Amino acid sequence: MIEKRRFDTEVQYVKYKVLKEVARRTWNDTLLETIFEIPKKIAPGGTPAVRCCIYKERAVVEERIRMAMGGDKSNPNVIEVIGIACDECPTGGYEVGEACRGCLAHNCEYVCKFGAITFDEHRVAHIDKSKCVECGQCSRACPYGAITHRTRPCEKACKIKAIYAGGETKEAKIDNSTCIACGNCVYHCPWGAISDKSFICDVIKMIKGSDGGKNYKIYAVVAPSITSQFAYAKPGQVIAGIKALGFTDVIEAALGADMVADEESRELVEKGSLISSCCPAFLTYVEKQFPELLPLVSSTLSPMASICKFFKSKEPDAKFVFIGPCTAKKHEFQKESVRDYVDSVITFEELQALFGSKSIDISLFNEEQTIGASYFGQNFARCGGLADAVREGICEHGDSEFFDLKSVSCNGIEQCMNALVKLKYGKLDVNFIEGMACVGGCIGGAGCPIHSTEKPKQRGDSADEPLTISESIKRL
């Protein structure tokens, strides 16, 4: 029960249990020999917990194991639907509820241009789904509000309409040409029928291959939002726990954020207008939906890629694993512009599974520290933090006297969409757009065990002597 309380939902806990078992067997080199034991361990006995029968429950676990081992290699998307788990949601669309009074007016019938509304012998309205085009006119016309629109949780969560019900079974389908891998659907599916692919097995193999640093060093690069996770331990204990897994050392991605703030602030002053490139899901959204705006996108790599590139130049043989809240990072690290610097990506959920797989209780460790970043680098994790850091960079470079920063911080992909549309048509009077696909910023990422609005806290430096961005970079 203690482990269970470390997650927001039962879906996350089940995912954790599968990841933990897969990881444990990977550490022991027994995964392939014992893989068929995992479904019975996760779904024991003969009585199903939520499915129609124990056999289907175990079949779903088998699919979760597949995702824990990397998913469908032929599918380039890091987000996949577990088809067998997607069978409990209503089809959705407009439906007539009990509030229908069978009134004389029949407003709903008169406004429907497609003949989709009919009435039974009790004068209650019905909607013919084969004729309905989901225009919503009937709902707006009903004086009782009896016609409501039911939306599947995954479709409701996906603000860019990359998910739809397809085929005879009406299971969820993902349009890869639209999907930005933000993971919103992963977190909001009540059945856990949508999941991000895991590279946890690859990371374990890297750690084991390092042989304690004898063959090569392997570094964990942790996102600033880690301070809003693992509430049962102190930040320094999380760092100690990561080292206990076999990582040579831990590097703060916030240092990369300082590098990005320094470079983007210079680039902004030089170009006069800029779209941030830090959030991979936002950047993919611009690439797919607003390609005409790509010339305005910053040429600076993300904080993850920037800091890994810096240290890779010093230790070419070393391995770098990013650990953060973001499912879209799993797509980013495979891009041609990044793959030479970042070797793999796992989420905070998967880090928790790694701790569990080795029975590591991080709350028992003494705290260890990392090279601390500036306050501004640490606060990249929240929406608005990047814009604040760029403003600070402009000031530190002495450019604030002649350059007036007019920024907008987009909190979630809907706000990103609105800002980009306005920018496209010349209706947005700003010169810098910070786009965060997740509401709240990285602290609201799909790969977080818990989703908190808490502002990330600064680590590694006294509040009385905060580092500037420039000072942080000079320490590297």
Side-chain angles (χ1 to χ4, degrees):
M1 290 300 294
I2 293 177
E3 285 184 326
K4 189 174 183 178
R5 290 198 296 269
R6 292 170 183 169
F7 300 90
D8 281 343
T9 69
E10 183 75 20
V11 168
Q12 290 176 292
Y13 181 54
V14 170
K15 181 180 179 182
Y16 161 78
K17 289 192 292 184
V18 172
L19 285 166
K20 182 176 73 170
E21 288 301 318
V22 169
R24 186 168 66 83
R25 287 165 168 78
T26 303
W27 288 115
N28 299 333
D29 292 320
T30 60
L31 178 59
L32 295 182
E33 293 86 350
T34 63
I35 193 169
F36 295 111
E37 297 175 6
I38 299 176
K40 289 185 178 181
K41 181 161 186 173
I42 303 297
T47 305
V50 291
R51 304 288 174 177
C52 60
C53 67
I54 193 66
Y55 304 105
K56 182 168 185 177
E57 202 146 274
R58 288 172 182 165
V60 172
V61 173
E62 290 175 4
E63 288 300 297
R64 297 194 193 285
I65 294 170
R66 182 179 63 83
M67 292 300 295
M69 295 175 65
D72 182 0
K73 301 296 191 295
S74 66
N75 182 0
N77 199 340
V78 296
I79 308 295
E80 288 186 19
V81 175
I82 301 175
I84 194 173
C86 181
D87 64 352
E88 303 291 344
C89 289
T91 302
Y94 286 92
E95 296 182 355
V96 180
E98 294 181 356
C100 178
R101 309 305 298 163
C103 64
L104 177 63
H106 285 194
N107 292 348
C108 56
E109 180 184 25
Y110 278 92
V111 297
C112 181
K113 299 178 181 178
F114 305 95
I117 303 286
T118 59
F119 294 84
D120 61 21
E121 65 273 19
H122 303 293
R123 298 184 304 168
V124 175
H126 293 273
I127 299 176
D128 185 342
K129 293 292 186 179
S130 66
K131 297 179 180 179
C132 179
V133 296
E134 304 286 332
C135 66
Q137 291 290 339
C138 58
S139 178
R140 289 186 284 273
C142 178
Y144 294 101
I147 302 176
T148 57
H149 189 258
R150 187 193 298 273
T151 307
R152 283 182 166 188
C154 59
E155 292 183 25
K156 187 176 181 180
C158 184
K159 307 302 182 183
I160 58 171
K161 302 185 185 304
I163 291 186
Y164 61 96
E168 293 183 2
T169 60
K170 298 297 182 182
E171 70 182 39
K173 302 286 185 182
I174 297 176
D175 181 355
N176 286 352
S177 67
T178 304
C179 179
I180 59 174
C182 66
N184 239 341
C185 55
V186 175
Y187 178 69
H188 285 95
C189 176
W191 291 93
I194 309 173
S195 181
D196 53 315
K197 295 175 179 176
S198 178
F199 300 105
I200 196 169
C201 295
D202 296 338
V203 171
I204 292 172
K205 290 173 183 176
M206 283 185 209
I207 295 173
K208 293 178 66 177
S210 171
D211 193 16
K214 295 177 184 176
N215 297 325
Y216 52 81
K217 293 181 180 179
I218 179 167
Y219 295 95
V221 180
V222 297
S225 51
I226 197 169
T227 57
S228 66
Q229 303 297 306
F230 306 98
Y232 62 95
K234 297 177 181 178
Q237 291 176 313
V238 181
I239 301 302
I242 293 174
K243 290 183 180 180
L245 288 170
F247 285 96
T248 306
D249 205 351
V250 179
I251 300 169
E252 290 194 20
L255 293 168
D258 282 331
M259 297 169 71
V260 168
D262 182 73
E263 292 182 31
E264 281 203 349
S265 57
R266 296 179 190 276
E267 187 178 6
L268 173 59
V269 171
E270 179 183 342
K271 293 182 176 179
S273 184
L274 208 63
I275 296 174
S276 170
S277 60
C278 290
C279 172
F282 171 64
L283 181 56
T284 300
Y285 182 65
V286 176
E287 291 172 347
K288 291 185 174 182
Q289 302 297 333
F290 296 90
E292 65 275 16
L293 297 180
L294 283 174
L296 293 175
V297 173
S298 171
S299 61
T300 306
L301 292 172
S302 69
M304 172 189 77
S306 294
I307 196 63
C308 288
K309 180 181 179 181
F310 174 81
F311 281 103
K312 198 85 166 182
S313 66
K314 295 179 176 294
E315 298 184 63
D317 295 330
K319 306 286 187 184
F320 294 87
V321 177
F322 179 77
I323 305 175
C326 181
T327 54
K329 286 291 184 187
K330 295 182 177 184
H331 170 72
E332 181 191 354
F333 95 92
Q334 299 180 72
K335 297 175 70 173
E336 187 175 351
S337 59
V338 179
R339 67 177 63 149
D340 289 340
Y341 315 125
V342 185
D343 294 280
S344 196
V345 168
I346 59 173
T347 63
F348 292 143
E349 282 183 330
E350 291 161 328
L351 176 60
Q352 185 68 72
L354 284 177
F355 288 148
S357 70
K358 300 203 79 172
S359 300
I360 292 176
D361 184 351
I362 59 176
S363 66
L364 300 179
F365 284 97
N366 292 324
E367 287 196 82
E368 296 192 29
Q369 299 298 323
T370 60
I371 299 176
S374 77
Y375 169 83
F376 298 97
Q378 291 285 356
N379 278 283
F380 256 56
R382 66 175 180 85
C383 183
L386 169 57
D388 288 345
V390 168
R391 180 177 288 103
E392 172 66 14
I394 292 172
C395 290
E396 290 184 21
H397 299 153
D399 295 329
S400 58
E401 293 183 7
F402 64 88
F403 187 86
D404 182 22
L405 175 65
K406 294 187 287 185
S407 65
V408 59
S409 297
C410 305
N411 189 16
I413 200 64
E414 283 187 297
Q415 288 190 13
C416 293
M417 185 189 313
N418 292 336
L420 292 172
V421 169
K422 290 179 181 178
L423 182 65
K424 177 180 177 179
Y425 293 104
K427 302 295 184 180
L428 192 65
D429 184 24
V430 299
N431 51 27
F432 184 72
I433 295 180
E434 171 192 357
M436 289 284 197
C438 295
V439 175
C442 301
I443 56 176
C448 293
I450 56 174
H451 289 70
S452 168
T453 57
E454 178 185 353
K455 181 179 177 180
K457 298 174 183 177
Q458 184 176 347
R459 299 198 311 270
D461 290 286
S462 166
D464 297 326
E465 299 179 8
L467 287 173
T468 65
I469 293 173
S470 302
E471 290 170 341
S472 172
I473 295 173
K474 287 177 182 178
R475 291 172 61 180
L476 292 175

